[in-house]
Amino acid sequence: EPEVTQTPSHQVTQMGQEVILRCVPISNHLYFYWYRQILGQKVEFLVSFYNNEISEKSEIFDDQFSVERPDGSNFTLKIRSTKLEDSAMYFCASSVPWGDTGELFFGEGSRLTVL
Amino acid sequence: ILNVEQSPQSLHVQEGDSTNFTCSFPSSNFYALHWYRWETAKSPEALFVMTLNGDEKKKGRISATLNTKEGYSYLYIKGSQPEDSATYLCAFIAGGSYIPTFGRGTSLIVHP
């Protein structure tokens, strides 16, 4: 069964360093998302991506964040200069193209720890 | 900011008990509601996609109802089993945005 894959599963980084989280969405999906969950808090929306551009982003997704689909299969989230409060589980998700009511298919998450 | 609330936050039940929990969401501009099950160390998986007021969906021992006019959905588990232990998330989708906004989740632990 097709699945969304994410790498790395866990990354530890120093404050101020750049981090890139990678995702391979399901191949026939066209909508892509990044969500994050800070420990003990809600799953929060960061950004959605469609047709090679950001379709929507939250107030969390400031200038420190960027997304890219560099090669038609990978979907990356870059954090330019990490802060302690960026420590969270980051989830990538994708959905089918034929229905905005369609459910999201999630990866297993990348845990980011900023020291 | 859309307010999606889930209650209770956590629930401990015995194997065989039936249980239910609630997702509350804005009653205006409804487009769809999703329920997901999130087991520890796995990714969230969709249980139901609900779009119509009065919808009732069922998958095995799990069912869900939807009331868009008053802004709530119930998830029911009949005869809980230890393998039902997970966090259950609901996600509200507003018209125009189409971005799922998640509740905090209900953590269910079923004791054998």
Side-chain angles (χ1 to χ4, degrees):
Chain A
E1 190 177 316
E3 59 182 18
V4 176
T5 56
Q6 287 186 242
T7 54
S9 55
H10 189 192
Q11 180 150 359
V12 181
T13 191
Q14 295 291 324
M15 194 167 58
Q17 295 296 302
E18 177 183 282
V19 158
I20 297 177
L21 305 179
R22 291 184 167 80
C23 170
V24 179
I26 294 172
S27 60
N28 67 330
H29 287 188
L30 293 180
Y31 295 91
F32 313 115
Y33 309 83
W34 283 100
Y35 283 81
R36 77 174 185 189
Q37 188 189 38
I38 295 170
L39 192 63
Q41 298 186 24
K42 286 189 183 191
V43 173
E44 299 173 296
F45 168 71
L46 293 177
V47 66
S48 62
F49 194 85
Y50 170 69
N51 203 26
N52 285 319
E53 60 183 23
I54 291 173
S55 52
E56 193 152 339
K57 61 183 181 178
S58 72
E59 59 272 12
I60 302 168
F61 194 88
D62 61 22
D63 292 343
Q64 294 298 313
F65 291 88
S66 61
V67 288
E68 212 177 30
R69 193 158 155 78
D71 57 12
S73 62
N74 288 286
F75 178 50
T76 61
L77 174 71
K78 184 195 286 188
I79 310 173
R80 251 179 283 281
S81 177
T82 49
K83 307 193 242 326
L84 294 175
E85 55 265 35
D86 294 328
S87 295
M89 182 75 96
Y90 288 79
F91 288 98
C92 172
S94 65
S95 65
V96 293
W98 41 257
D100 290 319
T101 58
E103 70 266 37
L104 303 185
F105 290 78
F106 284 88
E108 290 192 348
S110 293
R111 180 170 297 285
L112 176 64
T113 302
V114 182
L115 302 176
Chain B
I1 296 175
L2 295 172
N3 201 22
V4 180
E5 298 291 336
Q6 289 189 248
S7 61
Q9 193 173 328
S10 67
L11 199 52
H12 290 249
V13 301
Q14 289 297 127
E15 184 175 354
D17 287 351
S18 293
T19 187
N20 66 86
F21 19 94
T22 308
C23 173
S24 303
F25 50 84
S27 56
S28 59
N29 203 22
F30 176 87
Y31 191 80
L33 187 92
H34 298 173
W35 280 100
Y36 292 84
R37 176 166 59 204
W38 187 9
E39 295 178 67
T40 304
K42 294 188 179 179
S43 50
E45 277 187 351
L47 284 171
F48 303 114
V49 173
M50 310 184 81
T51 57
L52 297 173
N53 185 42
D55 248 359
E56 184 164 340
K57 299 220 170 177
K58 197 169 186 302
K59 189 182 281 192
R61 294 178 291 97
I62 305 178
S63 60
T65 60
L66 180 68
N67 183 324
T68 61
K69 293 189 189 317
E70 294 180 44
Y72 64 84
S73 175
Y74 293 138
L75 190 80
Y76 300 92
I77 303 178
K78 188 176 173 184
S80 305
Q81 299 296 307
E83 58 264 31
D84 296 328
S85 297
T87 296
Y88 291 83
L89 296 167
C90 70
F92 169 77
I93 297 99
S97 162
Y98 307 116
I99 301 296
T101 298
F102 284 84
R104 189 182 283 268
T106 293
S107 170
L108 174 67
I109 296 174
V110 182
H111 299 279

